[in-house]
Amino acid sequence: MRAPVSWIREYVDLPDGLSTEDLAAKLTALGLKLESLTYPGADVTGPLVVGKVLTKEPEPQKNGKTINWCTVDVGDANGTGEPQGIVCGAHNFEPGDLVVVVLPGAVLPGGFEISARKTYGHVSAGMICSARELGLGDDHTGIIVLPPDAGQPGESVREYLHLDDEVIEFEINPDRAYALSLRGVAREAALGFDAPYTDPAARDVPEPNADGYPVLVEDPEGCPVFVARTVTGFDPAAPTPRWMARRIQLAGMRPISLAVDVTNYVMLELGHPIHGYDLDRLQGPIRVRRATEGEHLTTLDDADRVLSAQDLVVTDDSGPIGLGGVMGGATTEMSGSTTRILVEVASWDPVSMFRTGKRHKLTSEAGKRNERGVDPTIPEAAADRVVELLVQYGGAVADPGVTKVGEPPASPSIRIAASLPARVTGMEIGADTVAENLTAVGCSVDGTEDLVVVPPPWRRDITDPFDLVEEVARIVGYDNVPSVLPPAPAGRGLTFTQQLRRRVGRTLAGAGYVEVLTFPFVGTEAFDSLELAEDDPRRFALRLANPLSAEAPLMTTTLLPGILETVARNTGRGNDDLALFEVATVTLPHGGPAAPILGVDRRPSDGEWDDLNKALPDQPLHLVLALAGDREPSGWWGAGRPVAWSDPIDSIREVAAALGVEVDVRTGKQAPWHPGRCAELFVGEVSLGYAGELHPRVCQALGVPARTAIAEIDLTALLAHAVAVVPAPEFSTYPVAKEDVALVVGADVPAEEVGRALREGAGALCESVRLFDVYRGEQIGEGRKSLAFALRFRAPDRTLTEAETGAARDAAVAVAVERFGAEQRA
Amino acid sequence: MSGPNSSYDPVQVTPLGEEEVFAMRDAALAAIAAASDLDELKRVRSEHAGDRSPLALANREIGALPPAARKETGARVGQARGAVNQALAVRQAELEAEAEERMLVDETVDVTLPWDRTPRGARHPITTMSERIADIFVAMGWEVAEGPLVEAEWLNFDALNLGPDHPARTMQDTFWTEPAENHVVLRTHTSPVQARTMLTREPPIYVVCPGRVFRTDEYDATHSPMFHQVEGLVVDEGITMAHLKGSLDHFAQAIFGEGITTRFRPSYFPFTEPSAEVDLVCFVCRGSGLVDEATCRTCRGEGWIEWGGCGVVNPRVLVACGVDAERYTGFAFGMGIDRTLMFRHGVEDLRSFFEGDVRFSRAFGTEI
Ligand SMILES: [Zn+2]
């Protein structure tokens, strides 16, 4: 809402010397938030005067244009009193006309400096101005021709043009619809400064009578009040008075024609939308009803709209002629030849307005006000004000007939304890202050301790006691709320899971990984790039009804697309050596039931609560890793180590270890991993996910470096296995016995399984089995490999003998031999 | 008196003269002083103080001397041997110190060599800021609450007094999921966690909830379809706006420093009544609007920074969530974490948070 300060001051007698900045600050403190403060006219400086055209010589030019060489009387404003020679391109004036002249030394909007300059063979000493050149609107069809009473040549024309003003732009919250009008803004200003206020809607209006235009309201709930007035003999050529056009322009709307401008002006003034019809184009009585499904209406914006049975329409014998309260129809639109006008001021049901606006994607100044709720007691005043202006400036004659259908609904009575504002705000607010402040915002207040409050008709947002608390509090002033810490009971700190999540991030950061956050939106192409099979469950994703991009309408089921895109972006920027991680939820729909929309008058039952939660997709937390380039850079110390398939496996194990969990690594097969370099990670028999090298084809398709290594696991599943209380270890202090064994097995036998076989066979005395070498070569033979393990044995109660250790080692080897046909190398 | 005898014969002894003993001693001392390294000193030690050294042999002969000569000769030889041993010890220490010194010099390296040998890891500033905020409230006895990102429409809107026709519902720019009749949305704010918390816990409730939210905003320098909020909720007996102010003042000071307070401006949120916008005293210009006599860039000269929204929990929300609205009152607040980071750290472009350029996160390290 843009409010010219001169207009605000018309209704409120503000203190002398009050600056606009202070006014805006006060209104902000009351809840009308200052968005911007502008000073129209301030960008026009220097002499701007009334000029009387003395001569006008048309001079055709070679370029086909005709310019006018004029002499203009500007009085003493040019310092000489001699006529001023000015070249003018416009033609809409004659000698004798009064015009607006800007003289050398002046500056126009945009920093355009005026000086005497040579043009078309003359010295043009100034300019005759159009409205647009002065920032007074869009009109550039000709120069401004002033009426004969505008002033004497040489007199300043600023005031006459209403050039200078100050405009406060407010951000109006949805609950303060009344402030979408000068009436409302001025009322707030009066409240803020305890200043005298004149309500522009308080006017004597003619009584409704039977002589008005016939109106039938078939849906009084949708349209509780309908007021119609008519005028005849309107002069469609009558110009909008300059002050009115200027105010409409400063308020952010466009002046169009007197008839339209008057309805807009009164809407800005009083906050009530108004619609004008060309009375000669109306056919028969006006009826207000719900549309029939599928009915058509061409609205003022020339859009053909198919109506819904929920839309409220204004009709005549020809059918719908307007979308009630939202936008008028084309067939009855006022035009340049309209002389008889019907003025409609109707009160509409805000919910219907909201729905219709949303359904037809229509936002209008009228709709904006109607859907928030306007004062239903002022349609007669608004209509009367429109008639008054049409009569005054358009030469119209008011018809005596006044139509009024329906009565405004009564405001609710609200009971509130006078102590409630103090109890809710923590400020000391006495019962007297409560009553005074509520009265000041326009409520009627009864009682002393338990108050019965009726809010004013323009405050349809006030329905609850807490709404009244806010009204009292904002007048007392939010700045007076004391600052007191609440008495929280002893808390339990972070939950175990919350602590664990932090541990995961810290562990990875400590291991050189950088955390990224990516958007969860993907398209099926992302799954295609990962070469997911047609039946891969990860393709079953939740679809958004209104995605930002048609290419990414799905909520991702895997964090790989996001992190791999991030890898590509980084390498594109020269960040070649990368270790990235992300922890985020994925969305796994399960095709379950719909979520119920429950009531809000009570707590949901346990069953309803369960249904609600069951309807949501599973949203487990995933951990994803991606590495590329060198894991350790090369340098003076020697060669670097490129990222290997084993890095993400190792890092997942490191994360698991930080949680006290042992992860088993098995050979895996999963897209988009390299089929020969994919590990599946387990806790017990629970599969967490996969780690290894990205498939070379996928690397290429996604534009990430070759040998990029990745891991993705279900972190929720891993966290569930975290050890909350670590039991203290018991360990033997007897000497350790070490045995190394080298086993030759088939090249495809997983080392992890051979190690597990050794561990199982070695028995209770075995402390650890560690793989320390893998060897392939001629000595071993084609298709075979040698795995070297270090075994450590120790007894809790004695030093082991060589015989005991040897027996345990042999037992370990025996299991590996039996299970994998391993041969022991000497 | 005879000199040391290679074919030792204790019977034929003559007492040693003073000069002879001094000569042996001086020869030993000269050799010790001349020893230039530990190896040489070792040789000198064996030659002049070993079992077969002249002084050792002389000492052994003392027992064979006549009693009268024994005492005098014994004293003389003893003093000489003492002087030799002391000289050896001193020289040993000197040479050891020299050797160590030399070794240390020899082992000198260019310590400026090591350079980024291990890559630096980092956590995301949004993560670390979320944790820091959580810690501030946990320190006051609050707990951290959580909820799903894909949320039931009822919890995101209806339970929070945003009915189906509430004008504010269009302000939310919600991502809806298909099919529409499932009534599932991407949460547009962290406020559904308020409702979840009230529905699953008994008052007193003191929780804070940092988390990810979604709105259908086009992605640019100041808008993102995904961003982060922190929500606070307190429901207890006797809770007032003063407690809200106290909590936010404490929060502001913990994040921005001593003396940084907040101010409230009346506003509107369906789930709170009264509602307020929270402004923060600009922590750069401390409210003056000026830095070095120029307009402060952080607050654009206003002295205040818009930080978030807050208010007293609307009793309608308490009712929908099964809290006794007669007995309890509450307050709630919500701030943007991304936004907080932007003005606290001078992040110019919101997209920096989501591009994943490692240079960005690395700058913030692992804690914030
Ligand atoms: Zn500042």
Side-chain angles (χ1 to χ4, degrees):
Chain A
M1 174 72 194
R2 291 165 194 265
V5 174
S6 66
W7 203 349
I8 298 175
R9 285 182 178 270
E10 202 170 312
Y11 311 124
V12 57
D13 192 3
L14 291 171
D16 289 340
L18 175 70
S19 74
T20 299
E21 288 77 8
D22 288 346
L23 173 61
K26 185 61 152 188
L27 290 169
T28 298
L30 281 170
L32 308 188
K33 197 203 155 201
L34 171 67
E35 188 85 338
S36 69
L37 207 51
T38 48
Y39 305 89
D43 49 1
V44 178
T45 57
L48 184 73
V49 299
V50 176
K52 183 170 192 173
V53 180
L54 300 175
T55 61
K56 175 190 176 199
E57 300 294 337
E59 295 181 358
Q61 301 295 315
K62 284 189 198 124
N63 61 9
K65 262 170 78 173
T66 299
I67 59 107
N68 293 303
W69 169 240
C70 309
T71 54
V72 185
D73 175 7
V74 293
D76 293 333
N78 57 4
T80 65
E82 294 297 314
Q84 196 83 356
I86 298 175
V87 170
C88 182
H91 303 281
N92 64 322
F93 63 100
E94 295 304 329
D97 281 348
L98 294 186
V99 296
V100 179
V101 177
V102 60
L103 295 171
V107 179
L108 294 186
F112 181 31
E113 290 176 22
I114 304 298
S115 58
R117 64 191 180 96
K118 230 177 155 207
T119 178
Y120 296 114
H122 298 280
V123 173
S124 182
M127 199 167 96
I128 303 177
C129 301
S130 73
R132 194 165 75 181
E133 282 154 352
L134 293 173
L136 285 169
D138 296 336
D139 192 359
H140 198 53
T141 54
I143 52 107
I144 300 171
V145 178
L146 299 169
D149 64 352
Q152 294 301 313
E155 283 179 6
S156 171
V157 77
R158 299 185 77 93
E159 203 167 328
Y160 184 83
L161 292 174
H162 300 272
L163 194 61
D164 297 292
D165 208 332
E166 290 163 313
V167 178
I168 310 176
E169 185 179 2
F170 299 104
E171 184 187 318
I172 304 294
N173 287 314
D175 62 333
R176 305 209 174 274
Y178 66 97
L180 291 171
S181 68
L182 270 300
R183 179 194 189 212
V185 171
R187 190 191 302 279
E188 291 289 292
L191 192 61
F193 294 97
D194 200 14
Y197 171 73
T198 313
D199 184 353
R203 53 188 295 131
D204 289 328
V205 296
E207 285 296 314
N209 52 49
D211 305 328
Y213 197 85
V215 173
L216 281 98
V217 175
E218 292 173 11
D219 189 335
E221 260 180 49
C223 178
V225 182
F226 195 111
V227 169
R229 293 281 298 272
T230 52
V231 298
T232 54
F234 176 75
D235 172 10
T240 302
R242 199 157 287 285
W243 59 268
M244 186 187 288
R246 179 64 166 160
R247 280 185 171 178
I248 288 171
Q249 183 212 356
L250 293 181
M253 295 180 75
R254 273 184 46 204
I256 292 164
S257 67
L258 177 61
V260 175
D261 292 348
V262 163
T263 59
N264 285 335
Y265 183 81
V266 176
M267 176 178 73
L268 291 167
E269 182 177 73
L270 303 180
H272 204 306
I274 295 148
H275 188 65
Y277 297 86
D278 186 332
L279 190 51
D280 288 322
R281 298 169 77 180
L282 275 173
Q283 300 171 30
I286 286 177
R287 284 172 198 271
V288 177
R289 58 166 169 85
R290 298 280 168 177
T292 41
E293 194 74 40
E295 242 177 325
H296 281 254
L297 168 68
T298 303
T299 42
L300 282 179
D301 54 0
D302 284 326
D304 175 42
R305 299 182 186 274
V306 182
L307 306 180
S308 138
Q310 311 236 306
D311 293 329
L312 281 160
V313 285
V314 180
T315 67
D316 66 3
D317 291 349
S318 71
I321 55 169
L323 212 41
V326 179
M327 191 174 272
T331 56
T332 53
E333 185 179 1
M334 293 188 292
S335 70
S337 58
T338 300
T339 58
R340 299 173 67 225
I341 297 170
L342 183 138
V343 179
E344 167 212 295
V345 186
S347 206
W348 303 95
D349 167 42
V351 170
S352 296
M353 295 299 102
F354 173 75
R355 289 186 181 163
T356 294
K358 203 165 128 180
R359 189 177 304 117
H360 297 288
K361 298 191 172 61
L362 260 173
T363 48
S364 63
E365 290 290 330
K368 198 165 86 184
R369 287 169 175 79
N370 279 327
E371 70 182 35
R372 285 171 169 82
V374 295
D375 184 345
T377 63
I378 62 166
E380 288 168 276
D384 193 56
R385 175 74 167 138
V386 171
V387 168
E388 176 188 56
L389 292 171
L390 291 175
V391 168
Q392 188 175 350
Y393 295 102
V397 177
D399 290 330
V402 177
T403 308
K404 185 186 182 195
V405 179
E407 282 300 325
S411 294
S413 287
I414 306 165
R415 307 186 80 84
I416 174 177
S419 59
L420 189 68
R423 199 155 62 76
V424 169
T425 62
M427 293 189 277
E428 283 177 29
I429 306 173
D432 289 351
T433 308
V434 171
E436 266 169 39
N437 290 353
L438 290 176
T439 307
V441 296
C443 298
S444 75
V445 181
D446 261 342
T448 48
E449 287 307 308
D450 289 308
L451 310 178
V452 177
V453 179
V454 179
W458 61 86
R459 293 301 303 272
R460 295 169 78 177
D461 58 296
I462 299 180
T463 55
D464 292 10
F466 274 55
D467 297 332
L468 297 173
V469 171
E470 180 171 275
E471 291 305 306
V472 173
R474 72 187 180 100
I475 298 171
V476 173
Y478 278 17
D479 285 346
N480 295 314
V481 174
S483 185
V484 181
L485 279 175
R492 289 163 295 189
L494 297 179
T495 65
F496 183 47
T497 310
Q498 287 162 353
Q499 289 174 13
L500 293 178
R501 284 208 300 266
R502 291 187 177 192
R503 214 185 285 173
V504 169
R506 287 185 180 138
T507 301
L508 286 165
Y513 285 79
V514 176
E515 186 177 17
V516 299
L517 302 180
T518 66
F519 291 166
F521 312 119
V522 294
T524 47
E525 278 131 47
F527 300 142
D528 296 342
S529 311
L530 296 179
E531 303 200 354
L532 303 192
E534 280 310 310
D535 59 349
D536 190 305
R538 285 173 291 176
R539 283 185 179 271
F540 186 48
L542 183 70
R543 185 171 287 274
L544 295 174
N546 55 336
L548 270 191
S549 152
E551 279 85 58
L554 305 174
M555 289 298 285
T556 196
T557 54
T558 157
L559 300 181
L560 288 170
I563 204 161
L564 290 171
E565 190 187 323
T566 310
V567 168
R569 185 176 301 120
N570 270 289
T571 51
R573 291 181 183 182
N575 305 326
D576 296 325
D577 301 331
L578 294 168
L580 306 180
F581 81 99
E582 180 171 16
V583 172
T585 55
V586 295
T587 306
L588 308 178
H590 48 55
I597 294 292
L598 306 171
V600 291
D601 53 341
R602 59 169 176 86
R603 179 199 169 83
S605 69
D606 290 352
E608 288 169 333
W609 179 240
D610 280 351
D611 289 345
L612 199 75
N613 285 300
K614 269 189 224 148
L616 299 180
D618 291 335
Q619 296 169 65
L621 210 52
H622 273 204
L623 165 63
V624 68
L625 308 179
L627 302 101
D630 281 347
R631 180 72 173 123
E632 288 161 18
S634 55
W636 58 269
W637 53 84
R641 186 175 73 69
V643 162
W645 55 269
S646 56
D647 283 315
I649 303 174
D650 180 53
S651 297
I652 295 292
R653 285 169 53 90
E654 191 172 346
V655 166
L659 305 174
V661 182
E662 182 81 23
V663 166
D664 290 336
V665 180
R666 301 183 200 165
T667 305
K669 211 154 196 72
Q670 174 85 335
W673 277 266
H674 185 306
R677 296 183 172 191
C678 174
E680 186 169 6
L681 307 169
F682 285 85
V683 176
E685 286 310 306
V686 177
S687 172
L688 295 176
Y690 299 84
E693 192 174 302
L694 187 59
H695 196 296
R697 265 204 313 269
V698 178
C699 286
Q700 202 154 27
L702 295 178
V704 297
R707 306 284 177 210
T708 292
I710 54 166
E712 180 170 28
I713 64 160
D714 181 343
L715 189 60
T716 300
L718 176 60
L719 295 181
H721 288 87
V723 177
V725 180
V726 176
E730 288 178 20
F731 45 78
S732 166
T733 52
Y734 287 91
V736 66
K738 300 175 183 174
E739 293 278 348
D740 290 350
V741 298
L743 298 172
V744 177
V745 294
D748 58 346
V749 175
E752 163 82 8
E753 289 180 29
V754 179
R756 196 175 325 125
L758 288 172
R759 213 170 296 122
E760 281 172 35
L765 295 175
C766 179
E767 198 173 70
S768 69
V769 173
R770 190 179 150 262
L771 179 74
F772 69 89
D773 194 25
V774 182
Y775 176 75
R776 289 169 204 246
E778 276 176 27
Q779 290 164 278
I780 308 298
E782 185 83 356
R784 296 173 68 72
K785 65 185 173 189
S786 168
L787 303 173
F789 291 92
L791 283 61
R792 290 162 67 94
F793 298 94
R794 193 158 12 203
D797 54 350
R798 64 186 191 284
T799 302
L800 291 175
T801 64
E802 265 182 49
E804 282 177 299
T805 310
R809 177 200 61 210
D810 292 345
V813 171
V815 174
V817 168
E818 188 213 323
R819 212 169 277 175
F820 305 108
E823 286 170 36
Q824 194 173 358
R825 278 177 84 206
Chain B
M1 178 89 196
S2 68
N5 201 328
S6 53
S7 57
Y8 171 62
D9 176 5
V11 183
Q12 297 185 344
V13 288
T14 327
L16 286 167
E18 201 175 4
E19 286 81 35
E20 287 168 291
V21 174
F22 284 171
M24 288 177 212
R25 181 197 67 189
D26 292 347
L29 293 179
I32 289 165
S36 64
D37 60 28
L38 286 166
D39 286 344
E40 204 178 331
L41 187 65
K42 195 176 170 190
R43 220 171 49 245
V44 170
R45 183 190 298 276
S46 120
E47 202 170 301
H48 292 278
D51 287 350
R52 314 269 319 158
S53 64
L55 277 169
L57 294 175
N59 191 47
R60 232 179 284 168
E61 284 173 4
I62 288 169
L65 290 178
R70 204 181 287 166
K71 189 179 175 195
E72 194 190 342
T73 311
R76 202 177 295 140
V77 173
Q79 278 169 6
R81 294 183 78 197
V84 169
N85 284 334
Q86 199 197 342
L88 274 170
V90 168
R91 188 64 185 147
Q92 175 79 22
E94 282 173 9
L95 289 174
E96 278 177 6
E98 272 175 33
E100 187 181 64
E101 194 61 35
R102 202 160 39 246
M103 179 191 79
L104 293 177
V105 169
D106 288 349
E107 291 182 357
T108 297
V109 296
D110 177 2
V111 296
T112 66
L113 277 178
W115 201 261
D116 289 351
R117 275 186 88 156
T118 47
R120 302 276 185 279
R123 292 193 301 152
H124 198 284
I126 287 176
T127 307
T128 49
M129 178 54 83
S130 300
E131 289 179 4
R132 176 153 178 181
I133 292 170
D135 289 345
I136 291 163
F137 287 96
V138 166
M140 291 196 285
W142 299 33
E143 293 178 9
V144 178
E146 288 161 8
L149 308 188
V150 181
E151 184 58 287
E153 181 184 350
W154 185 81
L155 278 162
N156 195 68
F157 292 121
D158 303 64
L160 300 170
N161 193 35
L162 279 143
D165 293 310
H166 205 291
R169 211 149 156 160
T170 54
M171 291 164 37
Q172 298 277 357
D173 307 319
T174 312
F175 280 112
W176 298 86
T177 71
E178 285 187 348
E181 58 271 21
N182 269 14
H183 301 298
V184 170
V185 301
L186 305 194
R187 70 178 184 196
T188 57
H189 45 186
T190 39
S191 305
V193 183
Q194 276 187 37
R196 283 188 170 274
T197 305
M198 286 188 268
L199 284 161
T200 51
R201 296 182 187 211
E202 291 292 320
I205 290 169
Y206 288 79
V207 295
V208 67
C209 165
R212 199 173 262 210
V213 301
F214 300 91
R215 298 206 190 151
T216 57
D217 286 332
E218 290 293 340
Y219 192 37
D220 62 29
T222 53
H223 298 86
S224 169
M226 177 177 99
F227 56 101
H228 298 77
Q229 282 189 334
V230 58
E231 186 91 5
L233 172 71
V234 166
V235 179
D236 201 348
E237 290 180 12
I239 289 298
T240 71
M241 278 178 95
H243 296 126
L244 169 59
K245 183 88 161 61
S247 301
L248 291 176
D249 280 343
H250 179 77
F251 181 17
Q253 298 201 24
I255 293 284
F256 296 100
E258 208 60 40
I260 301 303
T261 53
T262 61
R263 100 179 153 183
F264 288 172
R265 275 182 292 107
S267 188
Y268 171 76
F269 307 106
F271 29 95
T272 51
E273 187 76 38
S275 302
E277 304 259 1
V278 189
D279 295 342
L280 189 72
V281 170
C282 176
F283 59 96
V284 175
C285 64
R286 304 192 77 84
S288 71
L290 295 173
V291 175
D292 298 335
E293 289 172 33
T295 304
C296 173
R297 286 178 54 196
T298 305
C299 64
R300 291 192 206 89
E302 288 177 25
W304 294 91
I305 298 169
E306 285 184 38
W307 198 23
C310 67
V312 174
V313 179
N314 193 317
R316 289 172 185 244
V317 175
L318 297 179
V319 168
C321 296
V323 174
D324 181 350
E326 296 294 315
R327 181 172 167 198
Y328 296 104
T329 48
F331 68 74
F333 59 82
M335 272 83 193
I337 294 175
D338 318 41
R339 212 183 117 61
T340 300
L341 278 165
M342 283 180 90
F343 58 70
R344 186 174 188 261
H345 297 267
V347 179
E348 300 282 341
D349 192 322
L350 183 57
R351 290 172 290 201
S352 310
F353 291 120
F354 307 115
E355 285 185 334
D357 193 312
V358 290
R359 293 169 296 181
F360 182 75
S361 285
R362 267 197 197 127
F364 295 93
T366 53
E367 302 290 336
I368 208 161

